[in-house]
Amino acid sequence: DADVRFDLSTGSPGALTRFLDAVHPGVVINCAGTTRGGARELTRHNTVSVATVCESLRRSGCGARLVQIGCAAEYGPSQPGSSTAEDAVPRPGGPYGVSKLAGTELVLGSDLDAVVLRVFSPVGPGTPAGSPLGRLAEAMRRAMQTGETELKLSGLGVQRDFVDVRDVARAVHAASLSAAQGVVNIGTGRAVRLRDAAAVLARVAGFTGTLHEMDAPTLRGGPGDHHGGAPVYPYPDGCGSWQQADVRTARDRLGWRPRTALEESLADIWMEAACRI
């Protein structure tokens, strides 16, 4: 009964301030945003909305702590084999990362009691069907339904730091109770090749066919094309082929460590895909 609908991208900070003053929260957790759309939509939902939250908290007398959910796409590409720490200079490789980084900068410059959790590649229950692992699970479900014995996949060389959403939730809880400020990475500290994740997903799904890896699609050079034939990665986050978190800050300042094994996360993704009609 306490749920209130409020559009952070178009709503008045004054209206949100009045709501905050009425309910007087101790912590505000901002998970709002979008991963898809053009530059204008990404900016509206990932940057303007954060500005609304920050301004409302600044005007309010509630003194709430702000936990902002950021994203590893803010860092952009990194060197294979490296672990990205919070002091790395952000160089987002696309409009999504730029819009999230702008939101982070607004929080850091707000003078609020605030922390930004830069979440790496979240997996587990609720993984969107349109995400790379969600699409992979859906492809396996269809192959098993139709009796196909070969699944053709591409772009499996990409490596990401997959962190279970339940571990992310625990990190949010720890951050809300801590005095940590600034940016804190939330990941496992271990990059996993998408190829290996696909093999685990096949095992938990009981898919006994062959995973046939095709060459990654490339963008052909042509008039107005400045990609030069670079691979099109299945993760459109502008982070290239490798990303791995340095998670020492989360351990030291939040007392947080990931607990959930990737196999369990993938099993939950498969369960949701298998039950989808």
Side-chain angles (χ1 to χ4, degrees):
D1 293 341
D3 286 351
V4 175
R5 289 186 177 273
F6 185 86
D7 189 334
L8 293 173
S9 66
T10 60
S12 160
L16 186 56
T17 298
R18 289 191 290 275
F19 173 72
L20 292 173
D21 286 340
V23 300
H24 212 78
V27 180
V28 171
I29 300 165
N30 184 28
C31 307
T34 187
T35 59
R36 297 171 182 243
R40 172 179 285 185
E41 186 176 8
L42 289 166
T43 301
R44 195 167 71 243
H45 294 297
N46 295 336
T47 308
V48 174
S49 62
V50 178
T52 300
V53 171
C54 289
E55 179 62 17
S56 301
L57 282 169
R58 190 186 64 79
R59 295 183 189 182
S60 172
C62 69
R65 175 167 172 77
L66 173 61
V67 180
Q68 167 71 17
I69 308 302
C71 180
E74 298 172 37
Y75 287 122
S78 56
Q79 282 292 114
S82 67
S83 293
T84 304
E86 290 86 356
D87 59 0
V89 177
R91 293 187 177 89
Y96 170 66
V98 170
S99 68
K100 289 295 290 184
L101 177 60
T104 290
E105 293 296 343
L106 286 169
V107 172
L108 298 181
S110 67
D111 291 328
L112 296 169
D113 175 17
V115 62
V116 177
L117 302 184
R118 273 198 182 132
V119 179
F120 277 63
S121 297
V123 292
T127 295
S131 70
L133 287 173
R135 289 198 304 270
L136 183 57
E138 180 65 17
M140 283 187 186
R141 182 184 72 84
R142 289 177 180 171
M144 293 170 73
Q145 280 184 336
T146 58
E148 295 178 42
T149 58
E150 184 179 75
L151 195 57
K152 295 180 179 180
L153 306 167
S154 65
L156 298 184
V158 170
Q159 296 181 73
R160 288 291 181 269
D161 190 331
F162 297 111
V163 56
D164 190 271
V165 67
R166 290 159 292 201
D167 287 332
V168 175
R170 289 194 307 103
V172 170
H173 182 245
S176 70
L177 299 177
S178 77
Q181 304 269 332
V183 174
V184 179
N185 287 342
I186 301 299
T188 65
R190 183 174 70 95
V192 174
R193 201 176 301 272
L194 191 54
R195 180 185 303 116
D196 298 331
V200 173
L201 186 59
R203 186 171 71 248
V204 299
F207 178 71
T208 56
T210 303
L211 299 179
H212 179 67
E213 187 172 355
M214 300 181 296
D215 291 336
T218 58
L219 293 169
R220 297 183 180 275
D225 182 353
H226 303 293
H227 293 278
V232 178
Y233 296 107
Y235 275 84
D237 53 11
C239 295
S241 63
W242 171 275
Q243 208 173 43
Q244 178 175 282
D246 182 328
V247 292
R248 288 176 294 180
T249 301
R251 179 194 64 203
D252 296 343
R253 299 178 65 188
L254 302 183
W256 174 90
R257 285 182 174 84
R259 294 178 184 169
T260 310
L262 181 58
E263 183 167 349
E264 182 178 346
S265 305
L266 294 172
D268 288 322
I269 292 174
W270 168 249
M271 184 63 67
E272 290 183 350
C275 294
R276 197 173 295 125
I277 299 176

